[in-house]
Amino acid sequence: MARSRDESSPLFAGNAAGTLRLIVYLALAMVLMVLDHRNGWLWRVRYAASAVVEPVYRLANLPSAGMRTLSVAFADRKLLTEQNQRLREDLLLANARLNRMAGVAEQNHRLKELLDTRHSLDINVQLARVVGVDLGAWQQRLVLNLGARDGVKPGQPVIDAHGVMGQVVEVLPTTSVVMLVTDPAHAIPVVVERSGLRTVAYGARDGSGLVLPNIPLAADVRPGDRLLTSGLGGRFPPGFPVGKVLAVAPSSSGMFRVAQVQPAADLDRSDDVLLLHDQAEPDGPPAPAVPAGPPTTLAPAPGAATGAAPTTATPAAGQPASPPPRATTTTPASAGSTP
């Protein structure tokens, strides 16, 4: 059904009033376009309106931005978790290698100390490794990887790079048992390095160290004194460090003094030790010294004394003079001559 003229838009109406309004609107649009082109007023209006419209754009874009942020966050979290796991595994592996290298370095240091000790000693030693430990309250024992097949004998002293550790008490075919100096059943003759006092060091009853139970009251023993092997008994060579005096106190009876001694050897840390072999001692008195005569360069030549006049020694008082030797002349006989 066609619309009537009355129902049409008043702007496009066929009457004069509608045409006039259209012309006014067109003129106003032209004026605004010219003013906007010359002065930029509408740009300023759009610029001010953008501050109001921008939050609307952001709000409309918020769901998609949130989804994108969440996806990136989850992806980054997964990536970071994987990287963290790899870094943790690498750190554990590096720590394990570092600990192994530290253990190897410490073992090399101990072996170097043992090697230096072996070179500094003028005796026959044998390197052995600790394969078993029994450090209880009633006995202090070590098991070495050398036995009768390696020439180990009962009673051999055992040392490390710092001092005396003990002696072999049992020998098996491939292993041997060492009683430490801290064993309650062990005793070793010692001498105080500073004062020269000789005494015997026993293993403490609790296995924590050594004890000197029979020190005379007038003996000069102080904390800090070093104890060395005295060589008495012939079991331990003299001069090896045994320990250091920690404290000196009167005994319970009051007749002696008792000293607590810290062992010089690393009894609870040494993995490698040295076995001392017996040295042959000379029998009987020492050999006499060779008499020193005149230099051989001053001795006369064998033919230089021929034809020289004999010298007569002056007799000492109370002794008869010996007759001078009679000279004999030998005449060579020639063929056909008369004697």
Side-chain angles (χ1 to χ4, degrees), residues 328-332:
T328 58
T329 304
T330 304
T331 302

PDB file of all heavy atoms in Angstrom, residues 328-332:
ATOM      1  N   THR A 328     175.641 -56.081  51.352  1.00  0.00           N
ATOM      2  CA  THR A 328     176.158 -57.158  50.481  1.00  0.00           C
ATOM      3  C   THR A 328     176.279 -56.618  49.081  1.00  0.00           C
ATOM      4  O   THR A 328     175.396 -55.882  48.606  1.00  0.00           O
ATOM      5  CB  THR A 328     175.203 -58.368  50.512  1.00  0.00           C
ATOM      6  OG1 THR A 328     173.928 -57.951  50.086  1.00  0.00           O
ATOM      7  CG2 THR A 328     175.121 -58.939  51.915  1.00  0.00           C
ATOM      8  N   THR A 329     177.405 -57.027  48.458  1.00  0.00           N
ATOM      9  CA  THR A 329     177.651 -56.553  47.085  1.00  0.00           C
ATOM     10  C   THR A 329     177.609 -57.749  46.163  1.00  0.00           C
ATOM     11  O   THR A 329     178.266 -58.767  46.402  1.00  0.00           O
ATOM     12  CB  THR A 329     179.031 -55.873  46.969  1.00  0.00           C
ATOM     13  OG1 THR A 329     179.089 -54.823  47.917  1.00  0.00           O
ATOM     14  CG2 THR A 329     179.243 -55.352  45.565  1.00  0.00           C
ATOM     15  N   THR A 330     176.918 -57.615  45.177  1.00  0.00           N
ATOM     16  CA  THR A 330     176.783 -58.699  44.174  1.00  0.00           C
ATOM     17  C   THR A 330     177.526 -58.301  42.929  1.00  0.00           C
ATOM     18  O   THR A 330     177.231 -57.224  42.352  1.00  0.00           O
ATOM     19  CB  THR A 330     175.305 -58.962  43.870  1.00  0.00           C
ATOM     20  OG1 THR A 330     174.646 -59.251  45.083  1.00  0.00           O
ATOM     21  CG2 THR A 330     175.139 -60.098  42.872  1.00  0.00           C
ATOM     22  N   THR A 331     178.521 -59.171  42.549  1.00  0.00           N
ATOM     23  CA  THR A 331     179.296 -58.893  41.327  1.00  0.00           C
ATOM     24  C   THR A 331     178.775 -59.762  40.221  1.00  0.00           C
ATOM     25  O   THR A 331     178.762 -61.001  40.318  1.00  0.00           O
ATOM     26  CB  THR A 331     180.797 -59.212  41.551  1.00  0.00           C
ATOM     27  OG1 THR A 331     181.260 -58.427  42.649  1.00  0.00           O
ATOM     28  CG2 THR A 331     181.579 -58.877  40.299  1.00  0.00           C
ATOM     29  N   PRO A 332     178.355 -59.150  39.185  1.00  0.00           N
ATOM     30  CA  PRO A 332     177.853 -59.991  38.076  1.00  0.00           C
ATOM     31  C   PRO A 332     178.979 -60.742  37.426  1.00  0.00           C
ATOM     32  O   PRO A 332     180.067 -60.227  37.216  1.00  0.00           O
ATOM     33  CB  PRO A 332     177.213 -58.953  37.132  1.00  0.00           C
ATOM     34  CG  PRO A 332     177.903 -57.669  37.415  1.00  0.00           C
ATOM     35  CD  PRO A 332     178.288 -57.679  38.860  1.00  0.00           C
TER      36      PRO A 332
END
